[in-house]
Amino acid sequence: MAIAITLAAVSGEAQAEGKISIAQQFGIGYLILDVVRDQHLIEKEGKKEGLDIEVDWRTLSGATAMNEALLSGALDVASAGVPPLLTLWDRTRGKQNVKAIASLGSMPNYLLSNNPAVKSVRDLSDKDRIAVPAAGVGFQSRTLQIETAKLFGNADFKRFDRISVSLPHPDASAALIAGGSEISTHFSSPPFQYQALEHSNVHKILSSYDVLGGQATFNVLYTTQKFHDENPKTYRAFYRALSEAAKIINADKNAAAETYIRVEKSRLPLPLVQKIVNDPEISFTVSPERTFVYAQKLHELGVLKNKADTWKDYFFTEAGENPGS
């Protein structure tokens, strides 16, 4: 009986709920999280579950840092592009079993250049340096690898990895606009790409939508099986908060733009942010779109060892309540 009581106590401690640590990166791709944070939606949804949830918000740049923090246990929920999620899902199967929680919306990422000679991906050379948040492994690098495979063959899909440089979007965008540095190209994201294109020396080479065949999820949130299973009430509150934030954004996008500036302490002009948030190419939804394109292509290229049969293989079951792809 004493042993049983002890085991029950340990089990109760292991499943104690009411805390969640979440990390996001830079840009409008994380607007859903900005709204969740600004309106304390996790805390509100937690009270419906009988919990006073303590939320720890963090900012990290690049998928590598995200994934390391998640696997070390220093973080409960990571956020990054679809390819980094798939890489972690692939590598942790049968172990930590990392899967996606929800999409953070669909939006294009533009490959930009300040080199007049570069009109397409084919024009990139060793004279160029491509800035990306996580060289070789992040959303932008994997998207470029898929396009490179189309143009030069699967065997040469890493052709541009050697001229890629890891740099946070704000720094990369500033370098591209200013010119005069080694950074001549930037695989950017909102709002930085729109801000850069306001300068006459910057032009667009490619959109991620061109590569993926249409509107597609940019960023996703993901966690471990352990956190999902041991914190069901916290997880439900978090998922409902995300869904509510998406509804709030779509009900008043101009107000959501104000939230972005306030939460991110952004110096961007409000009209520019409102223009971006209202861009018809951008959709704020928790439902994944065209993520399976990455799963198929990256498996074909040998990046992923495990083959997914459907997008639901790498999302937790709660996401399956909504349509997806």
Side-chain angles (χ1 to χ4, degrees):
M1 184 178 293
I3 293 173
I5 292 171
T6 301
L7 289 175
V10 171
S11 177
E13 290 173 3
Q15 303 212 3
E17 294 204 58
K19 290 187 177 181
I20 184 170
S21 55
I22 307 161
Q24 67 186 83
Q25 300 187 55
F26 300 100
I28 287 179
Y30 299 91
L31 180 57
I32 285 179
L33 289 181
D34 290 333
V35 172
V36 167
R37 185 175 186 174
D38 184 64
Q39 300 204 20
H40 306 284
L41 296 180
I42 299 172
E43 293 88 339
K44 290 177 182 178
E45 292 296 334
K47 290 188 182 303
K48 296 177 184 178
E49 295 284 349
L51 293 176
D52 289 320
I53 300 178
E54 180 183 328
V55 186
D56 178 17
W57 293 97
R58 306 177 193 179
T59 301
L60 295 173
S61 178
T64 302
M66 282 283 180
N67 291 350
E68 287 177 353
L70 182 66
L71 294 181
S72 71
L75 191 64
D76 295 322
V77 177
S79 58
V82 177
L85 153 73
L86 287 168
T87 299
L88 213 55
W89 164 77
D90 184 58
R91 293 178 181 175
T92 63
R93 286 190 71 179
K95 293 176 285 188
Q96 296 97 328
N97 291 321
V98 171
K99 291 185 181 181
I101 299 167
S103 163
L104 284 175
S106 296
M107 54 191 64
N109 278 220
Y110 295 162
L111 182 61
L112 307 175
S113 181
N114 62 15
N115 183 350
V118 177
K119 304 295 184 185
S120 72
V121 172
R122 289 185 181 276
D123 297 325
L124 292 167
S125 71
D126 288 342
K127 296 179 182 179
D128 296 292
R129 289 295 177 271
I130 307 167
V132 290
V137 297
F139 174 92
Q140 292 78 10
S141 280
R142 293 301 190 197
T143 304
L144 182 56
Q145 288 170 356
I146 290 173
E147 180 66 13
T148 304
K150 291 180 188 176
L151 298 175
F152 302 101
N154 287 358
D156 202 18
F157 79 97
K158 291 186 177 181
R159 170 187 285 245
F160 299 116
D161 283 11
R162 66 178 180 272
I163 61 170
S164 295
V165 179
S166 294
L167 201 62
H169 282 309
D171 298 335
S173 190
L176 190 74
I177 293 168
S181 73
E182 67 169 0
I183 303 300
S184 62
T185 312
H186 175 206
F187 212 141
S188 192
S189 72
F192 308 104
Q193 62 197 25
Y194 300 100
Q195 186 181 22
L197 285 170
E198 291 189 333
H199 297 263
S200 59
N201 65 321
V202 177
H203 61 279
K204 181 173 75 171
I205 301 171
L206 182 74
S207 168
S208 59
Y209 282 8
D210 299 331
V211 181
L212 300 170
Q215 186 167 294
T217 295
F218 173 24
N219 290 316
V220 290
L221 294 161
Y222 49 100
T223 188
T224 61
Q225 187 83 47
K226 178 180 173 65
F227 181 80
H228 173 273
D229 292 352
E230 294 186 356
N231 300 275
K233 292 182 179 181
T234 303
Y235 188 94
R236 281 196 301 270
F238 181 47
Y239 189 80
R240 286 201 304 264
L242 296 170
S243 299
E244 181 62 22
K247 291 177 183 177
I248 290 170
I249 293 169
N250 288 305
D252 192 341
K253 291 186 176 180
N254 288 336
E258 294 177 6
T259 299
Y260 173 79
I261 289 176
R262 182 171 60 254
V263 175
E264 297 288 338
K265 297 180 175 59
S266 173
R267 296 182 180 179
L268 291 176
L270 177 59
L272 174 60
V273 178
Q274 289 177 332
K275 179 182 177 181
I276 296 168
V277 174
N278 283 284
D279 188 328
E281 281 197 314
I282 294 178
S283 173
F284 295 98
T285 173
V286 296
S287 297
E289 296 183 287
R290 286 188 169 86
T291 65
F292 196 57
V293 175
Y294 282 110
Q296 289 176 308
K297 294 294 184 181
L298 294 179
H299 180 263
E300 179 184 314
L301 294 174
V303 174
L304 303 178
K305 294 180 180 179
N306 294 288
K307 183 179 180 180
D309 295 320
T310 170
W311 67 271
K312 294 182 180 180
D313 288 349
Y314 47 85
F315 272 80
F316 285 111
T317 54
E318 288 79 1
E321 297 171 2
N322 296 312
S325 62

